[in-house]
Amino acid sequence: MCGIVGYVGHQSAGPILLEGLHRLEYRGYDSSGIAVLDRDGAIAVLKRQGKLRDLEAAIDVMPAGGAGIGHTRWATHGVPSDRNAHPHASSSGDVVVVQNGIVENYRSLKVELESSLLDRGQGWLSETDTEVIPELIARELDRGCSFVEALRAALGRLQGANAVAAFHRADPSRIYAARKGSAGGIVIGYGDGEMFIASDLPALLPHTTAVYHLEDGEIATIDAEGAVVDRANQPPLRPQPQRVELDPVAIARGPYRHFMLKEMYEQPRALSDTIRGRARLDPPSALADEFNLTDNQLRSVERVLVIGMGTSLHAAMIGRWWLERIAGIPADFDNASEFRFRAPVIGSSTLVVSVTQSGETIDTLGAMDQVRERWGAPQVVITNVDGSEATRKADASILLRCGPEVGVASTKTFVGSLAALYLLACRIGRARGALDETELTESLEHLLTVPSLVERGLQLSEQCSEIAKSYTSAANFLVLGRGIEHPIAMEAALKCKEISYVHAEGYAAGEMKHGPIALLDQKFPVIALATRGPLFDKMMSAIQQVSARQAPVIAIGDEGDTELAELADHYLGVPHATDLLTPFALTPVVQLLAYHIALARGLDIDQPRNLAKTVTVE
Ligand code: G6P
């Protein structure tokens, strides 16, 4: 999703802005641009549709100037094009803005502002909602406001969540950043005689680890020496930057061809980090520390609802299984974007667990707001980003500690979220008396084996690559699973869609007879997840039904399962896991299959078209 960067200091802003934008590429975008302001008030705005390399190719001479803002745009209002790319300037040309989010009332604002534009013989230059923002600011400046007052007045007119960065020709020594609602974060980075802003940390880390996260409703005035933050009706303050510990090396691709591949191979380590200190055996305890809900609070919970989007929703689906089976508590999952607009019946004794690797997905944040406002129900968030908006909304957070995830398609944060949900189920189960000490010990012992399950699954990369080559031209895949493996079938299908651009459907195998089977023929490969769990025989029947329609079968099951191997056209054997933990054994293999299909098709795996890592618009 859109990314913002900004710089003010003693260096030339242009190259720093471009470098920052490169570090935000993983968020997903379809155009980009920078605006640089020099000491004499000259403004250069450079923007291009396409990748950053297209923008860079269009820059003959880097504009001079020590202040500037930049943007990667993920189109919402108006097609990806040069003119719709940010930055956008006011009709006077004096105020320049980049924006993340959506101005929901931009149509009425355009009508309102149009007459003054027409008076000057000008019109709107783009189809974006963004363009009203510099115009609103400029109008307030004309009325004699300071820039901060003008920005606050302009934001006050906007409906919807927005984050903006801006500058004003009249003051080349400053840039401004502001947040209204949850449209993704803005982080201010403190350098030595220079300051930075960015939508998230990776863009700042090469320069500084001293940062301040701008809060909702704050406006920062930033010059080379520091930042002053204004809040409505409060005196301005100079915030104290915090030190972050993110290791810049951890966000470099290293020897791997893609971030996604690197992050898949980091999964055993990431899982160990998620579990570390949270699954103690002697005496047994789950999530004993760093968790804000007490056993008493957990005992009063009568139901758990797990919500999320995309890959996190699939983790939520598996979380329901564990909550029911391990904690013996009524549990359900929901898609956050649907949950928000239904009339769900939940009460203050429902525990709502949000799964969101970024902690910034707008639909998940919206659902969390609704839970707080309507029911005041207790909330837990499972996220990889400390300090993200979701952590501020929740009563308790379980941080994944997976390290930065750059690949748009979530991998290590998926398995991390699973481990966190499993731990939560154990903790609730123990608090409610559903697990005795022995059962808790056994459950935790099983969990401690999952890093090695994943590690062994990753060893199947070569085999996955060979199989993928046989299906590079397949237009469709059906992925079947049952029970706890059904969400993995859905995750496998999502990965195929996300990075391989292959149409794929993840289905509960029992449902196949009610529709999908009509699609099957020799050209419609079926991936069947069939470990030796309680539903193995039923999966075998489903595979028989697939084979009878001559559809090729890629079966993924237990190592050494000759019966399954004989029935399938291709077979991948994963290490045996207890029936509650097969998702960990299967996940790396379905990720690798999707990865190798995408690789064989020569696709842009880390930045798939139209997708964004952090979805900050509805
Ligand atoms: C985007 C990402 C997915 C992610 C989903 C939910 O679609 O590309 O990988 O699963 O958002 O993101 P969240 O940050 O809430 O887990």
Side-chain angles (χ1 to χ4, degrees):
M1 205 103 308
C2 305
I4 288 176
V5 293
Y7 175 80
V8 55
H10 54 78
Q11 300 190 59
S12 173
I16 293 173
L17 296 172
L18 289 169
E19 187 216 339
L21 291 179
H22 273 294
R23 291 181 188 278
L24 295 180
E25 276 192 293
Y26 74 92
R27 294 165 64 95
Y29 71 107
D30 38 45
S31 59
S32 61
I34 58 170
V36 176
L37 174 63
D38 83 3
R39 223 179 288 128
D40 304 321
I43 295 173
V45 179
L46 303 155
K47 44 196 204 176
R48 273 291 177 282
Q49 181 189 345
K51 292 286 176 190
L52 274 164
R53 59 176 173 270
D54 301 310
L55 174 65
E56 286 163 332
I59 301 176
D60 292 333
V61 183
M62 186 63 74
I69 54 180
H71 193 258
T72 45
R73 172 176 188 252
W74 186 86
T76 58
H77 294 61
V79 295
S81 67
D82 291 355
R83 68 194 208 119
N84 286 338
H86 300 208
H88 290 283
S90 59
S91 55
S92 63
D94 291 340
V95 177
V96 181
V97 166
V98 293
Q99 169 225 16
N100 281 3
I102 291 179
V103 181
E104 290 169 0
N105 55 334
Y106 79 102
R107 281 196 198 84
S108 60
L109 289 172
K110 277 198 166 176
V111 170
E112 177 186 324
L113 293 163
E114 214 149 46
S115 57
S116 55
L117 281 188
L118 290 174
D119 287 348
R120 289 201 205 140
Q122 287 175 295
W124 298 107
L125 295 177
S126 77
E127 295 132 25
T128 65
D129 53 338
T130 315
E131 220 184 332
V132 298
I133 305 174
E135 207 55 40
L136 283 169
I137 298 172
R139 190 172 68 176
E140 298 300 323
L141 289 170
D142 287 346
R143 291 173 178 165
C145 290
S146 71
F147 197 87
V148 169
E149 287 164 352
L151 187 48
R152 185 168 300 288
L155 292 174
R157 297 296 318 280
L158 309 184
Q159 281 165 17
N162 283 284
V164 302
F167 64 64
H168 185 207
R169 186 196 299 280
D171 191 352
S173 64
R174 294 196 169 97
I175 58 173
Y176 300 84
R179 272 193 59 192
K180 182 188 183 195
S182 306
I186 290 204
V187 196
I188 301 173
Y190 289 70
D192 190 6
E194 55 186 351
M195 294 285 287
F196 308 83
I197 58 173
S199 295
D200 59 34
L201 283 170
L204 297 182
L205 287 177
H207 304 289
T208 178
T209 54
V211 302
Y212 175 74
H213 290 267
L214 205 63
E215 301 272 351
D216 184 10
E218 290 185 338
I219 296 178
T221 304
I222 304 157
D223 63 22
E225 302 308 322
V228 174
V229 168
D230 279 83
R231 301 168 190 188
N233 310 320
Q234 284 183 44
L237 67 104
R238 277 198 173 268
Q240 275 303 314
Q242 293 175 322
R243 285 272 163 208
V244 287
E245 284 171 14
L246 267 182
D247 174 3
V249 177
I251 51 175
R253 192 151 39 87
Y256 294 95
R257 193 155 170 190
H258 296 99
F259 274 109
M260 183 182 174
L261 189 65
K262 174 180 181 244
E263 287 156 4
M264 286 193 290
Y265 278 91
E266 283 174 351
Q267 289 180 116
R269 197 269 309 143
L271 269 170
S272 301
D273 286 348
T274 305
I275 298 167
R276 190 175 7 92
R278 292 166 167 168
R280 297 210 192 104
L281 293 180
D282 197 15
S285 69
L287 277 182
D289 308 322
E290 305 170 58
F291 187 68
N292 280 350
L293 296 182
T294 62
D295 280 353
N296 265 343
Q297 286 171 300
L298 293 175
R299 271 191 282 275
S300 65
V301 169
E302 289 170 6
R303 178 174 168 247
V304 184
L305 177 66
V306 195
I307 59 174
M309 299 294 292
T311 290
S312 293
L313 176 60
H314 298 150
M317 292 170 76
I318 294 171
R320 175 182 70 170
W321 261 85
W322 289 329
L323 286 156
E324 288 175 344
R325 280 279 298 272
I326 300 173
I329 191 166
D332 213 339
F333 65 85
D334 212 335
N335 172 308
S337 65
E338 290 298 313
F339 169 84
R340 290 176 68 187
F341 299 105
R342 289 208 323 273
V345 181
I346 70 169
S348 57
S349 59
T350 301
L351 176 69
V352 178
V353 180
S354 297
V355 184
T356 167
Q357 54 83 21
S358 64
E360 302 287 351
T361 297
I362 197 155
D363 280 311
T364 309
L365 295 179
M368 292 179 79
D369 284 341
Q370 197 181 42
V371 168
R372 190 189 58 239
E373 285 156 19
R374 287 183 57 185
W375 303 287
Q379 299 202 59
V380 173
V381 66
I382 292 174
T383 184
N384 198 33
V385 183
D386 197 3
S388 58
E389 194 65 17
T391 60
R392 296 169 215 209
K393 293 186 190 293
D395 302 295
S397 305
I398 306 176
L399 293 175
L400 297 180
R401 310 177 186 145
C402 287
E405 187 173 73
V406 174
V408 166
S410 295
T411 52
K412 61 179 177 174
T413 57
F414 175 63
V415 293
S417 300
L418 292 183
L421 283 161
Y422 186 96
L423 283 163
L424 184 63
C426 289
R427 171 76 194 270
I428 295 174
R430 185 71 184 124
R432 289 166 54 85
L435 291 177
D436 63 23
E437 250 194 38
T438 314
E439 288 163 332
L440 178 61
T441 305
E442 195 180 70
S443 300
L444 295 175
E445 277 172 352
H446 289 161
L447 181 66
L448 291 168
T449 66
V450 300
S452 88
L453 279 182
V454 171
E455 183 142 37
R456 285 166 61 198
L458 289 166
Q459 289 164 7
L460 296 174
S461 184
E462 268 304 304
Q463 284 165 264
C464 291
S465 166
E466 282 310 309
I467 294 172
K469 281 179 199 148
S470 315
Y471 294 102
T472 38
S473 53
N476 302 286
F477 280 92
L478 183 64
V479 194
L480 298 178
R482 288 207 66 153
I484 203 166
E485 297 174 6
H486 168 220
I488 299 295
M490 298 188 65
E491 175 60 9
L494 179 63
K495 285 282 161 288
C496 289
K497 285 182 268 213
E498 280 178 311
I499 58 164
S500 325
Y501 310 156
V502 186
H503 169 244
E505 295 286 347
Y507 251 86
E511 187 72 14
M512 179 185 64
K513 303 178 289 293
H514 301 283
I517 199 165
L519 298 168
L520 299 183
D521 61 18
Q522 306 91 308
K523 291 195 191 132
F524 206 126
V526 175
I527 301 173
L529 311 180
T531 63
R532 290 253 168 192
L535 294 167
F536 176 75
D537 290 340
K538 296 194 187 306
M539 269 310 296
M540 288 297 269
S541 306
I543 296 171
Q544 298 274 10
Q545 291 159 19
V546 169
S547 298
R549 273 80 195 172
Q550 275 127 42
V553 174
I554 303 160
I556 310 176
D558 282 3
E559 269 167 2
D561 192 333
T562 47
E563 195 190 349
L564 178 65
E566 276 165 22
L567 201 56
D569 298 86
H570 305 275
Y571 155 77
L572 291 157
V574 298
H576 179 73
T578 64
D579 55 334
L580 283 185
L581 292 178
T582 58
F584 290 101
L586 294 168
T587 295
V589 183
V590 300
Q591 292 169 343
L592 282 166
L593 270 178
Y595 175 83
H596 284 294
I597 294 170
L599 196 63
R601 292 180 168 215
L603 299 173
D604 189 348
I605 291 175
D606 283 332
Q607 292 166 39
R609 69 182 177 211
N610 303 339
L611 294 183
K613 179 81 190 156
T614 308
V615 179
T616 52
V617 296
E618 288 179 33

